[in-house]
Amino acid sequence: VFCELLMQQTVLRNGVRLYIAYQSHHFAFIGDEAIHTVVEQKFWDEMNQIALEHFKNQKHIEGLELVIARIGAELKKYFPVLENDQNELADDIIIK
């Protein structure tokens, strides 16, 4: 899905996709090469743990809000908005 949505084709390679398969109870938070390199696997493991704990307690929205905020903070730290920035990827929720 990451490749299908062309996530790997951003200039800075810092795209992030949150994949949630609600019915099958699976999820994944996937960062492209540049963001993954700076935050490392430990960060993604922490995000998975936060989501898992919230999901188990039926607090899906709260868990996702927390994960999104944390990912956003890391993106802001390592890839601050530049004067000529353009959003290269859609922010759409894609339902398949």
Side-chain angles (χ1 to χ4, degrees), residues 33-92:
E33 188 175 278
I35 186 64
H36 180 74
T37 298
V38 294
V39 300
E40 301 182 337
Q41 186 60 45
K42 181 179 177 185
F43 174 77
W44 302 113
D45 293 343
E46 289 173 15
M47 296 307 99
N48 286 334
Q49 191 59 40
I50 288 169
L52 186 59
E53 289 174 18
H54 281 79
F55 292 178
K56 283 182 178 179
N57 292 311
Q58 301 301 311
K59 295 185 178 194
H60 302 94
I61 301 300
E62 295 89 339
L64 289 174
E65 287 175 337
L66 185 54
V67 166
I68 291 168
R70 295 273 306 272
I71 292 171
E74 294 300 302
L75 285 167
K76 184 177 180 179
K77 178 171 37 172
Y78 294 109
F79 303 96
V81 176
L82 302 174
E83 192 174 306
N84 61 346
D85 266 353
Q86 293 182 4
N87 195 1
E88 298 174 74
L89 301 171
D91 295 328
D92 301 336

